[in-house]
Amino acid sequence: MKITKRLKTLLPALMASAVLSLGFAQTATASKWDAKMTPDEVEATLDQKFAEGKYSPKGADSCLMCHRKSEKVMDLFKGVHGAVDSSKSPMAGLQCEACHGPMGKHNRGGNEPMIAFGPDSTLAPELQNSVCMSCHKDDKRMDWNGGHHDNADVACASCHSVHTAKDPVLSKNTEMEVCTSCHTQQKADMNKRSSHPMKWAQMVCSDCHNPHGTMSDADLVKPSVNETCYSCHAEKRGPKLWEHAPVTEDCVTCHNPHGSVNEGMLKTRAPQLCQQCHSSAHSGQALFGNTEQGSSVGGNAMTGGRSCLNCHNQIHGSNHPSGKLLQR
């Protein structure tokens, strides 16, 4: 589309370098022009405005004549995007119009469209994001196109806030709250009895995932699930003399990394978890069978204590010469 091409060509040339933090404040209500124009008409008008290139000679001063009464607008100057003394800020270039587009005749009643961000914007997320990505180009965002959030039509402004002193998603104390506003299943898992310490902000989602996309499954920061887990759980890394196949293949075969009601974030308690693969283990031996006919709980080696792990306690692999059965 025309606007996408113009945003990608005009904005980088007009701004000195990438701004340090992402996002745009979400609008509280729909814009005035939304009641009069369709999304296609808004986009066509913006295309025309970019072609004409009628920027205000007074920059932000023209915008603040009307918008200075909005506390949310003025909060821009508390953050890096509104830093008047930074060469990396939009304020060093076209100021407000660096992100919202050329003013044109917008100041004559506010009915002419500007680039708006957030859930109430009539612009498609792809077009909104093209503004952000025109400056924020680095190796952390090189896989945005085709990533999970891009494919889901998530706008940068859905997660990030510019008109604020501190973007909530960039703080470890509030990042999980932003992410779980959409990822509700993961939020439920994180509050189960066995989980990573995310509720206390000792870990955050971005420790394992890159929300801007990667070449890995689930946008993991490492090439694989296991490599991501080994970043913290280095003691589980091989090679081992005696290896356990599901461990070397994929940690999530047995564990739910977001949390579980079972100890060790296991998807299912032993022996049921083990029997998903070892379906006939010890089935003919009375010691491991239900010798008490269900009269007591945990009355045999298969259900008492740690179940299978009573004996096979080196379940992640063994380096002992006699550890073929992962017992030592």
Side-chain angles (χ1 to χ4, degrees):
M1 297 181 180
K2 294 180 180 179
I3 185 174
T4 306
K5 294 180 180 178
R6 291 191 177 278
L7 288 172
K8 289 182 178 179
T9 55
L10 287 177
L11 291 179
L14 293 168
M15 296 183 67
S17 58
V19 186
L20 297 179
S21 64
L22 283 174
F24 289 88
Q26 297 179 357
T27 53
T29 57
S31 305
K32 289 182 178 180
W33 53 82
D34 291 337
K36 301 180 179 180
M37 307 173 69
T38 66
D40 288 340
E41 290 173 337
V42 171
E43 184 177 334
T45 304
L46 289 172
D47 281 338
Q48 182 179 354
K49 290 179 65 176
F50 269 97
E52 295 173 352
K54 293 182 179 179
Y55 292 88
S56 170
K58 296 182 179 180
D61 290 339
S62 298
C63 307
L64 295 179
M65 289 179 63
C66 297
H67 295 287
R68 68 178 181 273
K69 296 180 181 179
S70 170
E71 182 178 352
K72 195 171 188 66
V73 170
M74 298 307 293
D75 281 345
L76 171 72
F77 297 99
K78 298 178 181 179
V80 65
H81 286 81
V84 296
D85 57 348
S86 173
S87 62
K88 297 181 179 180
S89 166
M91 290 298 135
L94 291 174
Q95 302 184 345
C96 303
E97 292 168 282
C99 300
H100 295 283
M103 178 179 289
K105 298 178 182 179
H106 175 77
N107 59 338
R108 300 179 184 178
N111 290 316
E112 187 172 270
M114 300 291 290
I115 299 175
F117 302 91
D120 296 315
S121 175
T122 56
L123 282 179
E126 178 186 4
L127 300 181
Q128 296 181 47
N129 294 345
S130 67
V131 178
C132 309
M133 299 300 288
S134 66
C135 292
H136 295 282
K137 293 179 179 179
D138 56 34
D139 57 349
K140 293 182 179 179
R141 300 170 186 87
M142 62 186 298
D143 293 313
W144 169 261
N145 292 326
H148 286 77
H149 284 128
D150 180 38
N151 288 337
D153 289 331
V154 176
C156 300
S158 297
C159 304
H160 292 279
S161 299
V162 160
H163 287 254
T164 183
K166 294 182 179 179
D167 188 350
V169 79
L170 298 181
S171 170
K172 286 196 171 186
N173 292 325
T174 52
E175 178 182 323
M176 194 184 81
E177 181 181 347
V178 176
C179 297
T180 55
S181 63
C182 293
H183 299 282
T184 54
Q185 178 59 57
Q186 286 70 27
K187 181 178 182 179
D189 289 340
M190 291 171 192
N191 285 283
K192 292 177 180 177
R193 61 180 295 271
S194 178
S195 64
H196 282 110
M198 302 186 71
K199 292 181 289 186
W200 300 279
Q202 295 178 5
M203 279 185 67
V204 291
C205 306
S206 58
D207 287 335
C208 298
H209 302 277
N210 182 345
H212 301 111
T214 68
M215 299 298 289
S216 306
D217 290 339
D219 289 338
L220 293 172
V221 296
K222 298 291 184 179
S224 67
V225 172
N226 283 23
E227 287 297 319
T228 304
C229 298
Y230 293 153
S231 299
C232 297
H233 304 283
E235 74 283 2
K236 302 297 189 296
R237 184 193 297 271
K240 303 281 189 179
L241 181 61
W242 305 104
E243 294 183 333
H244 192 192
V247 175
T248 59
E249 290 173 0
D250 197 337
C251 299
V252 299
T253 300
C254 299
H255 300 277
N256 182 344
H258 295 109
S260 169
V261 295
N262 303 306
E263 194 66 31
M265 293 186 288
L266 292 173
K267 289 184 173 180
T268 308
R269 289 186 59 190
Q272 287 84 2
L273 177 65
C274 306
Q275 289 173 339
Q276 291 177 5
C277 295
H278 305 282
S279 58
S280 61
H282 311 298
S283 59
Q285 302 179 33
L287 176 62
F288 301 100
N290 188 12
T291 55
E292 300 178 7
Q293 301 298 316
S295 61
S296 64
V297 177
N300 61 67
M302 282 291 284
T303 59
R306 299 174 68 224
S307 186
C308 304
L309 277 69
N310 288 330
C311 299
H312 306 283
N313 49 65
Q314 298 299 314
I315 203 66
H316 290 100
S318 172
N319 281 319
H320 194 281
S322 300
K324 181 179 181 180
L325 300 178
L326 307 179
Q327 292 176 324
R328 301 181 183 185

